[in-house]
Amino acid sequence: MTARIMDGRRLSTRIISDLKKKVGILSKKGIVPRLDIILVGEDNASKIYVSNKIRTSEQIGIKGELHKFPEKTSKEKIIREIKKLNANEKVHGILVQLPLPQHLDEQEIVDKIEPSKDVDGLTTYSIGRLTTGNANFESCTPKGIIRLIENEKIKIEGRNAVVIGRSNIVGKPISLMLLRRNATVTICHSKTKQLQEHTKNADIIIAAVGRANFLKEAMVKKGAIVIDVGMNRDGGKIAGDVDFDKVKFKASYITPVPGGVGPMTVAMLMENTLKAARAKL
Ligand code: NAP
């Protein structure tokens, strides 16, 4: 068996072209969606992600503004900038690119974003709403994963889902979203014993570990759906968390890296920004 590839690039292109039409209609009504991104420091991967987000915004007709700060910027200065953007009526979405430099408390800073502009869905408020099943903005990577699964018409209800990783940006929110769709969810992490016992039992595996080729063929049940969130830099190449070349012969569906979850994350950010702008109608 060779798994069906869940093509995030193709699906995101379709979503983006649909969003472009919707942004055009909104702009004619006098609202040009605007997304402001705060980038602190010189992390190379972050710079690439941010330039992707700005480029995609502009492709759609969303105004993308970058606010760049040096590595050693104080928390007070960044919070001042966020407050200014909160107060600016022309700004619909605000995103703080993570990770932040070590001296900055990420959650403290992200929590300064006004909830109605939290298009990345990472404030404590947004996560709280997600937890109670009443999300306004779902965080973009997990939202993109769900969209990929739904696009294939894969049933989530009643399935055993194993999420490897418990970060606030991927592991926890995707677990909540799967739970909301009536999966039986197991969350694994670095202290989990006998990880393979969990993954071998899973109908759906979400690998969000941050280690190249971490999920091996022997850890996967035949016919499982395997979603690879990992983006690991392996020299010049990007590698996922899944040993793709082997696992693809065991899984029924699999996401590639690159071209799986990554492009969906950006598309979902655009969708959330449009939603924030439409709320101004
Ligand atoms: P993270 O905050 O570093 O979290 C990694 C998680 O993996 C932690 O919960 C950690 O457990 C767990 N882990 C580490 N070693 C493990 C092991 N041996 N066994 C089981 N679990 C283990 O990472 P993240 O921000 O969630 O990102 C994960 C990956 O996804 C990274 O490669 C990142 O670049 C990528 N990513 C991609 C996108 C995208 O758009 N495609 C978006 C976000 C992230 P502990 O909690 O116990 O430490």
Side-chain angles (χ1 to χ4, degrees):
M1 177 205 295
T2 305
R4 183 175 156 82
I5 307 292
M6 300 165 88
D7 188 340
R9 203 164 272 147
R10 182 152 20 111
L11 178 57
S12 69
T13 303
R14 222 164 60 213
I15 293 170
I16 280 169
S17 99
D18 181 50
L19 287 174
K20 191 172 175 177
K21 289 182 206 137
K22 290 178 176 157
V23 167
I25 293 168
L26 191 62
S27 300
K28 283 200 187 113
K29 292 181 180 163
I31 299 174
V32 179
R34 176 170 149 180
L35 170 66
D36 285 51
I37 301 182
I38 294 176
L39 173 65
V40 188
E42 298 300 326
D43 183 75
N44 278 331
S46 290
K47 283 185 192 168
I48 296 171
Y49 299 150
V50 163
S51 73
N52 259 339
K53 289 169 187 172
I54 299 273
R55 193 168 5 93
T56 309
S57 304
E58 282 164 1
Q59 193 188 328
I60 296 179
I62 292 175
K63 198 164 155 38
E65 293 279 342
L66 176 60
H67 306 260
K68 212 168 165 306
F69 292 92
E71 185 87 21
K72 293 209 160 64
T73 308
S74 69
K75 134 181 136 181
E76 288 75 17
K77 193 158 180 194
I78 296 164
I79 289 175
R80 260 201 311 278
E81 187 70 20
I82 294 176
K83 287 188 173 163
K84 229 163 69 190
L85 297 174
N86 283 340
N88 185 343
E89 292 234 322
K90 292 205 166 81
V91 176
H92 303 104
I94 304 169
L95 179 153
V96 176
Q97 183 65 39
L98 303 179
L100 288 172
Q102 287 246 309
H103 68 285
L104 297 169
D105 178 332
E106 290 184 350
Q107 198 61 51
E108 181 187 6
I109 288 181
V110 167
D111 276 343
K112 296 295 184 285
I113 298 171
E114 158 70 36
S116 65
K117 299 188 180 189
D118 177 23
V119 288
D120 217 11
L122 294 180
T123 58
T124 303
Y125 177 86
S126 294
I127 293 169
R129 284 190 62 159
L130 178 67
T131 309
T132 53
N134 181 29
N136 187 21
F137 296 112
E138 290 174 321
S139 55
C140 301
T141 301
K143 184 178 178 183
I145 294 171
I146 295 290
R147 199 62 75 78
L148 270 170
I149 296 174
E150 287 177 348
N151 182 56
E152 299 290 345
K153 306 204 167 25
I154 293 166
K155 192 169 151 226
I156 296 176
E157 181 164 316
R159 312 297 286 275
N160 286 334
V162 167
V163 178
I164 319 173
R166 56 174 164 179
S167 69
N168 289 337
I169 63 168
V170 189
K172 282 182 200 151
I174 188 63
S175 303
L176 289 166
M177 288 181 203
L178 290 165
L179 180 64
R180 176 137 187 83
R181 288 164 179 80
N182 296 322
T184 302
V185 183
T186 305
I187 307 173
C188 300
H189 45 77
S190 68
K191 307 291 185 288
T192 298
K193 299 218 165 68
Q194 312 292 346
L195 178 64
Q196 185 162 328
E197 298 303 308
H198 297 283
T199 56
K200 284 280 287 180
N201 223 351
D203 305 308
I204 301 172
I205 302 178
I206 315 282
V209 186
R211 285 210 206 169
N213 301 321
F214 177 85
L215 189 82
K216 304 288 185 203
E217 179 199 9
M219 299 165 80
V220 177
K221 180 171 89 173
K222 196 162 172 247
I225 295 133
V226 178
I227 309 287
D228 190 350
V229 187
M231 295 239 267
N232 310 294
R233 261 150 234 284
D234 195 2
K237 264 183 63 190
I238 291 186
D241 286 349
V242 176
D243 187 359
F244 182 88
D245 289 337
K246 299 228 170 82
V247 173
K248 74 176 178 198
F249 293 117
K250 207 152 181 203
S252 57
Y253 291 86
I254 193 166
T255 61
V257 176
V261 174
M264 291 301 295
T265 298
V266 180
M268 296 301 102
L269 175 65
M270 300 301 128
E271 198 172 279
N272 282 352
T273 304
L274 175 62
K275 181 178 178 184
R278 273 182 163 169
K280 299 286 168 202
L281 269 179

